[in-house]
Amino acid sequence: MRSCCVFSGLSHPQLVESICERLGQKPSQVESKKFSNGETSVEIKTSVRDQEIFIVQSGSSEINDNVLELLIMISACKSGSSRKITAVMPYFPYSRQSKKKTHRGAITARMIANLMKVAGVDHVITIDLHASQMQGFFKCPVDNLRAEPLIAKWVRMNIPDWSEAVVVSKNPGGTKRVTSLADALQLSFGIVTTDRRRPYVPSSMYNSAIFEPIGTDGTNDREALHREAFEEAEVAPEAFAVERGSREQDYAYHNHQPRVNGFGHQRRPSRPRAATTMPASLRTRLTNGDGPSSPLANSQRADSIGGEDGTNEPVPGIQRITTALGVTRPPHDDDGYESSGDDGNDESARDVITGRLIHGHIVDDDAPSPGMSTRSASITDHNLHGTRSTSDDNDVPEPMTQSFISVTSERPMGAPQHGLGGTGDATASDEEEEEDLRNPDVETTVTLVGNVRDKPVLIVDDMIDKAGSWIAAAETVVKRGGATKVYCMATHGLFGGDSLRELEACDEIEAVVVTDAFPIPEEKRRGVTKLRVLDVSGLLAEAIRRNYHGESITQLYRHFD
């Protein structure tokens, strides 16, 4: 490859040496140093006039220095009258900041793309961008290579029963990547999701409640509830008659004498005020049971409705379906639609498994919630003092403390606020998820969609930075789903902090498979036996050769046995 120069940055020199060895040439000479105040200085030691330049620079722990060094090298080659400059970036820095996550946030990945264009880059080669839409940030051609063929080849060669495996995404944002690998290997796939918005709910509200039918007059028709239940069970309703209390109240608006404003126009009749300002006499009647009752106050669970002898035996016809721990199996008819369960068909249309995560680990369903003690202390203080444990400057007004509407309509603790009332972004950053998993005061609900019982599981994502979400997904598929082995696979192994040690200590994880697109320091590798590193130098060397000769790179995206 004459008229071609391959330069190496300081981020990953071992990878550049492997690439040049495959290309049959040596890396071009460049000198990079820093001044005493931290400034980066780059000097090209090889003539680049009318040469095609390839600058290989990946990310590392010193990512900011790597970015600035790359920009300076591009500018130096541009000033040296090079013909074309291609930036080979196996890991594109700041790729996780490809969108605005807050109102005043920055799209840093687009800024890096603009800086590279200003420096003089003509082409970009990278591997597995965090979001493929980032290619639109660049004003030059981008080759977004994929490590999927390398990972698929490793799966076929190193996992004995890989044909029975299930590819699982640890968050909804990686579903497209998981389905692509599953289609290539002709495997099934699943999804693990974590609900970070679960508020603390008192234990008495964990089970669903059956509200009594409400009549047109606003009263609770308890007799109708029992009549419907016993008609379904073909039991005479007279055997379980329930006396109906006279709790009738006229809630209709009464038209009073019309009032006239200052302009002579008739004003609208005033509507009753909210319950927060109701008279004290009405509040007393509600408290003593003299007035109309709230549906919530008279709601009953299915397993709490007893017979006429006072026993708490469940009533036939409205019992809950008993399923396995954490598994929801609604009955379906022959056509696949949900049925009432009378025909005895208990076949599930899909496998949905739920679990509880506390401090990033799976716990039993009867384990105490981390917010139990805090909530109990608040309720106790409310009962003793009549107000909540707030500061003296934020005392709740007296009418609000006696209002039943203000209590039942309280916003759940810890619920996020979205502008349009929707849910959170499915591709939220791993940092937010990791913070919630690490917080011992936050309980997270995890859901596994897919059948993984007695099968190996491949958890796939584009990068591994923190270990919390990976360990939570691994424990979910093994302890809840019944999987046999778990393989964590990603393109970029960032391994921030002690995440590699934590993955090594997880008994549910069989192996951690990454590529060498991102350098892994030797001190982090020391003593780790589950780490498997795949070489991407052949992929990058072939991409450089095909770009130099003007050949198609379609073959680099295909799978080979």
Side-chain angles (χ1 to χ4, degrees), residues 245-258:
S246 58
R247 297 183 178 180
E248 298 182 356
Q249 177 72 20
D250 188 8
Y251 282 92
Y253 298 120
H254 299 280
N255 294 327
H256 301 280
Q257 184 68 24

Side-chain angles (χ1 to χ4, degrees), residues 146 148-150 156 553-561:
R146 296 188 301 174
E148 179 182 298
L150 297 176
R156 290 192 296 265
I553 64 171
T554 304
Q555 299 294 331
L556 302 180
Y557 294 93
R558 295 182 178 177
H559 293 255
F560 297 94
D561 296 333

Side-chain angles (χ1 to χ4, degrees), residues 207-493:
N207 298 328
S208 58
I210 300 178
F211 295 98
E212 301 176 359
I214 306 298
T216 57
D217 56 352
T219 58
N220 297 327
D221 192 356
R222 300 182 61 191
E223 184 179 358
L225 173 65
H226 292 268
R227 187 187 308 113
E228 294 176 1
F230 297 123
E231 286 178 357
E232 183 178 358
E234 297 182 357
V235 180
E238 292 78 5
F240 300 92
V242 180
E243 293 185 4
R244 183 178 178 180
S246 58
R247 297 183 178 180
E248 298 182 356
Q249 177 72 20
D250 188 8
Y251 282 92
Y253 298 120
H254 299 280
N255 294 327
H256 301 280
Q257 184 68 24
R259 293 181 294 178
V260 180
N261 56 17
F263 298 95
H265 300 287
Q266 181 176 341
R267 299 179 60 182
R268 294 180 180 180
S270 60
R271 299 170 64 92
R273 293 181 177 269
T276 55
T277 58
M278 65 177 62
S281 58
L282 179 57
R283 289 197 299 267
T284 305
R285 293 176 57 193
L286 292 176
T287 305
N288 298 333
D290 298 334
S293 61
S294 169
L296 183 61
N298 293 276
S299 61
Q300 298 181 1
R301 292 193 303 271
D303 54 356
S304 63
I305 302 177
E308 89 180 286
D309 57 350
T311 60
N312 289 330
E313 298 181 357
V315 179
I318 57 174
Q319 297 182 5
R320 251 189 255 126
I321 300 176
T322 304
T323 59
L325 185 62
V327 181
T328 303
R329 296 184 178 273
H332 289 70
D333 57 16
D334 296 337
D335 297 332
Y337 296 97
E338 294 186 4
S339 62
S340 59
D342 296 336
D343 53 356
N345 186 9
D346 195 23
E347 184 179 356
S348 174
R350 60 178 64 88
D351 295 292
V352 180
I353 302 174
T354 60
R356 299 173 59 197
L357 291 175
I358 297 179
H359 210 178
H361 296 280
I362 288 288
V363 297
D364 297 334
D365 290 341
D366 56 352
S369 176
M372 184 74 71
S373 58
T374 304
R375 184 70 173 177
S376 301
S378 176
I379 295 176
T380 303
D381 184 73
H382 170 75
N383 295 334
L384 292 177
H385 303 284
T387 57
R388 299 193 176 191
S389 57
T390 57
S391 60
D392 296 337
D393 298 335
N394 298 326
D395 290 336
V396 182
E398 188 273 338
M400 294 293 293
T401 60
Q402 300 182 9
S403 170
F404 67 93
I405 291 183
S406 63
V407 175
T408 58
S409 62
E410 181 185 2
R411 188 177 184 86
M413 298 174 55
Q417 298 183 6
H418 303 286
L420 299 179
T423 58
D425 193 350
T427 59
S429 66
D430 294 337
E431 292 292 335
E432 300 173 359
E433 183 179 3
E434 292 289 342
E435 291 178 1
D436 292 327
L437 292 176
R438 299 279 184 178
N439 190 353
D441 297 330
V442 175
E443 178 181 340
T444 306
T445 302
V446 61
T447 303
L448 170 62
V449 181
N451 182 16
V452 298
R453 184 167 299 279
D454 299 330
K455 299 179 181 179
V457 171
L458 314 177
I459 303 178
V460 180
D461 205 349
D462 66 319
M463 66 179 66
I464 301 179
D465 188 3
K466 302 296 181 62
S469 57
W470 293 87
I471 294 176
E475 291 184 357
T476 300
V477 298
V478 172
K479 296 182 178 180
R480 288 289 183 173
T484 56
K485 298 179 181 179
V486 176
Y487 299 87
C488 298
M489 301 182 174
T491 304
H492 310 292

Side-chain angles (χ1 to χ4, degrees), residues 39-213:
E39 295 180 0
T40 302
S41 174
V42 176
E43 182 179 355
I44 305 297
K45 296 294 185 178
T46 306
S47 176
V48 296
R49 184 174 297 275
D50 201 26
Q51 299 284 314
E52 188 162 348
I53 309 301
F54 293 90
I55 304 175
V56 183
Q57 179 78 306
S58 185
S60 67
S61 57
E62 300 177 352
I63 191 70
N64 295 327
D65 293 339
N66 301 147
V67 172
L68 193 57
E69 182 188 22
L70 173 64
L71 297 176
I72 296 175
M73 293 178 67
I74 294 174
S75 179
C77 293
K78 191 72 173 181
S79 302
S81 302
S82 59
R83 183 175 60 199
K84 180 182 178 181
I85 302 175
T86 300
V88 182
M89 311 175 69
Y91 170 77
F92 189 82
Y94 291 94
S95 60
R96 283 180 289 185
Q97 303 184 39
S98 59
K99 61 182 178 180
K100 292 180 65 174
K101 300 175 183 177
T102 59
H103 177 63
R104 288 178 290 273
I107 308 178
T108 313
R110 183 180 63 182
M111 183 190 68
I112 298 298
N114 293 336
L115 290 174
M116 295 176 61
K117 182 60 179 179
V118 171
V121 73
D122 300 308
H123 193 190
V124 175
I125 299 177
T126 185
I127 301 179
D128 281 339
L129 289 172
H130 188 61
S132 59
Q133 295 84 349
M134 289 174 54
Q135 300 178 63
F137 294 164
F138 297 86
K139 298 180 181 179
C140 63
V142 178
D143 292 336
N144 183 25
L145 304 179
R146 296 188 301 174
E148 179 182 298
L150 297 176
I151 297 177
K153 183 178 179 180
W154 187 92
V155 169
R156 290 192 296 265
M157 295 181 62
N158 295 274
I159 300 180
D161 51 348
W162 67 269
S163 59
E164 302 294 332
V166 179
V167 189
V168 174
S169 174
K170 69 182 184 67
N171 52 50
T175 305
K176 185 176 180 180
R177 187 178 299 105
V178 165
T179 53
S180 177
L181 180 61
D183 293 341
L185 297 175
Q186 298 181 356
L187 302 176
S188 302
F189 68 93
I191 303 174
V192 173
T193 63
T194 55
D195 186 3
R196 303 186 303 273
R197 300 171 301 277
R198 175 176 180 176
Y200 168 74
V201 182
S203 57
S204 61
M205 295 295 293
Y206 278 142
N207 298 328
S208 58
I210 300 178
F211 295 98
E212 301 176 359

